[in-house]
Amino acid sequence: MAQSLLEKYSAYLPLNDRTPMITLGEGNTPLVKSESIGKELGAEVYFKLEGCNPTGSFKDRGMVMAIAKALEAGSRFIACASTGNTSASAAAYGAHYGLTTLVLVPKGNIASGKLAQAIAYGAHILAISGNFDRALQLVQTLASRYPITLVNSVNPFRLEGQKTGAFEIVDALGEAPDYLCIPVGNAGNITAYWRGFRHYNQAGKSARLPKMMGFQAEGAAPIVMGHPVENPQTIASAIKIGNPASWQFAVAARDESGGRIEAVSDEEILEAYKLIARKEGIFCEPASAASVAGLMKLAREGVNLRGKKVVCILTGNGLKDPELAQQIADIPLQEVSADLESVEEAVSSLWGR
Ligand code: AN7
């Protein structure tokens, strides 16, 4: 069996003799070189396919570390607030290790695939009539009053696990990229990646550091605006967050790296979402496409990307939100009767393409 994520990066993680070396097969995700978008921008662009993790998002990297520490401490009960992916991940690891799992999600505001995961894994699900920020407040209070391990990214072990994404990129490229483009919601992942690049740099594994380019959705862009957003709005439900927990760390990552945190519109997100699927053969969720939408925005704004190495983190799998793909489809589903003549007629326009 291949080495698990915790084993592979044990030297850089907060492990001790009592930490169980657990795994559901997380990490070691593909870094795929862009065929189309990179050429168009004159840059060497790579996509980190975090949708290939066991529950289909990057959250598994942090969850495996948080659950290992929860088990080490003897915890039997985990909880989180979530826009969907954290709850799917917590529910899976909770099921695998026999923990009671409670998830609070904003009612009507999480993608159907993510809810299906939490249900399938047997989590206790509270759909609250409020947004993610409120759900996080509630679960934090709950965790302060009851013997519950909070597994949101305010749990420091989550970020420790998530920094392994940066290690894998440096291991694959032999060096840190010039730019790292990443969606920003609760701002844990940008914080974790920056920490990972810095630790690897200090350990002599890379000679340089990337500029951290974070992208929020325009209707949910508190860091860009400089104040919390009371009622965040965006089609990218995963990053519909108005008051990110790791706000100050994200600002530090931006400033220390000489990077930027900017907003992209839902229109730009959807355009990138379609482009990545149609031109690259990669189906990610809309929140993930914010990284590529952001990269394209930088190019339009005249940032010189020529010959630069750029990694876009595609944080979650497109299959989590199948309705959206169908809603915005501009390729009609052709219904044809089951005889050769009809099929031949239907495909006649394709010859010679
Ligand atoms: C696909 O699951 O916050 O900036 O509760 O699911 O680290 O929050 C998800 C966030 C990007 C943003 N892409 O990462 C949750 C949750 C996807 C995500 C983000 C999320 P952070």
Side-chain angles (χ1 to χ4, degrees), residues 50 56-59 80-89 104-106 110 114 132 152-153 158-159 162 182-192 215-216 223 236-241 244-246 250 284-290 313-317 320:
E50 289 294 280
S57 89
F58 71 98
K59 301 288 182 181
C80 66
S82 181
T83 57
N85 279 325
T86 302
S87 59
S89 186
L104 276 69
V105 298
I110 84 168
K114 302 175 187 180
F132 167 83
N152 279 104
S153 57
R158 278 276 315 279
L159 300 188
Q162 278 171 219
I182 187 166
V184 175
N186 214 21
N189 215 24
I190 190 172
T191 303
F215 299 99
Q216 300 195 294
I223 299 177
S237 59
I239 53 173
K240 196 169 169 181
I241 294 175
S246 297
C284 67
E285 58 175 291
S288 310
I313 309 297
L314 299 184
T315 45
N317 199 305
K320 287 183 175 259

Side-chain angles (χ1 to χ4, degrees), residues 123-274:
H124 299 271
I125 306 167
L126 301 183
I128 69 151
S129 44
N131 61 25
F132 167 83
D133 302 287
R134 181 67 187 137
L136 182 58
Q137 279 174 354
L138 288 168
V139 80
Q140 281 184 293
T141 308
L142 212 59
S144 71
R145 296 194 180 169
Y146 299 92
I148 297 175
T149 303
L150 186 65
V151 295
N152 279 104
S153 57
V154 290
N155 176 327
F157 300 121
R158 278 276 315 279
L159 300 188
E160 287 298 304
Q162 278 171 219
K163 74 186 182 188
T164 57
F167 298 165
E168 287 180 11
I169 290 170
V170 174
D171 286 343
L173 297 178
E175 188 49 89
D178 296 289
Y179 293 98
L180 188 93
C181 296
I182 187 166
V184 175
N186 214 21
N189 215 24
I190 190 172
T191 303
Y193 267 87
W194 180 235
R195 201 175 285 174
F197 284 119
R198 278 195 356 258
H199 286 186
Y200 241 32
N201 177 253
Q202 284 155 11
K205 291 273 195 172
S206 70
R208 61 180 189 194
L209 292 164
K211 291 191 192 313
M212 302 296 287
M213 312 304 256
F215 299 99
Q216 300 195 294
E218 211 167 70
I223 299 177
V224 179
M225 293 167 73
H227 58 80
V229 175
E230 189 86 28
N231 185 17
Q233 294 301 336
T234 169
I235 191 153
S237 59
I239 53 173
K240 196 169 169 181
I241 294 175
N243 192 11
S246 297
W247 187 322
Q248 294 315 323
F249 294 128
V251 168
R254 176 193 70 191
D255 296 344
E256 288 166 25
S257 73
R260 297 194 193 178
I261 296 180
E262 294 197 1
V264 286
S265 68
D266 278 6
E267 210 179 356
E268 290 167 329
I269 289 174
L270 287 178
E271 194 184 320
Y273 169 79
K274 285 195 209 175

Side-chain angles (χ1 to χ4, degrees), residues 15-50:
L15 304 165
N16 62 53
D17 298 348
R18 286 162 291 111
T19 318
M21 298 299 274
I22 63 172
T23 185
L24 256 182
E26 61 291 318
N28 196 22
T29 57
L31 187 69
V32 174
K33 191 167 181 184
S34 164
E35 273 295 319
S36 165
I37 295 169
K39 280 194 191 115
E40 200 182 305
L41 302 180
E44 205 178 305
V45 174
Y46 296 86
F47 304 110
K48 181 75 169 152
L49 305 196
E50 289 294 280

